[in-house]
Amino acid sequence: MAREELTRLTGSGNGECGEDDCPNVYRTERGTFVVQGELSNAFTPPHGEGLVEIPESVLREAIRALGW
């Protein structure tokens, strides 16, 4: 899936990185979410999965963007 196919919910200039590329939350056409952030080593996820860490402010911004 290309980034152009995702709806960017964060990074409007009010978050941690502003208009830069990190961290961000995206929504797919299927209604699922893609989270971009710092890699986390909190635990080892199952094969094919990964862990990222984002600040609370980014998650709150994504929730506001969805009107929740």
Side-chain angles (χ1 to χ4, degrees):
M1 171 180 319
R3 186 184 304 196
E4 294 77 27
E5 298 175 59
L6 304 173
T7 300
R8 187 173 173 172
L9 300 175
T10 57
S12 62
N14 301 325
E16 298 287 317
C17 293
E19 291 296 328
D20 289 341
D21 211 22
C22 69
N24 280 300
V25 177
Y26 300 86
R27 190 171 194 181
T28 70
E29 290 178 351
R30 298 186 314 255
T32 60
F33 298 92
V34 175
V35 178
Q36 176 185 351
E38 294 290 325
L39 289 177
S40 174
N41 293 319
F43 63 89
T44 303
H47 180 74
E49 296 182 5
L51 303 175
V52 297
E53 184 174 349
I54 61 170
E56 180 180 333
S57 61
V58 173
L59 185 56
R60 288 182 180 274
E61 185 180 353
I63 290 168
R64 281 194 300 274
L66 291 168
W68 292 356

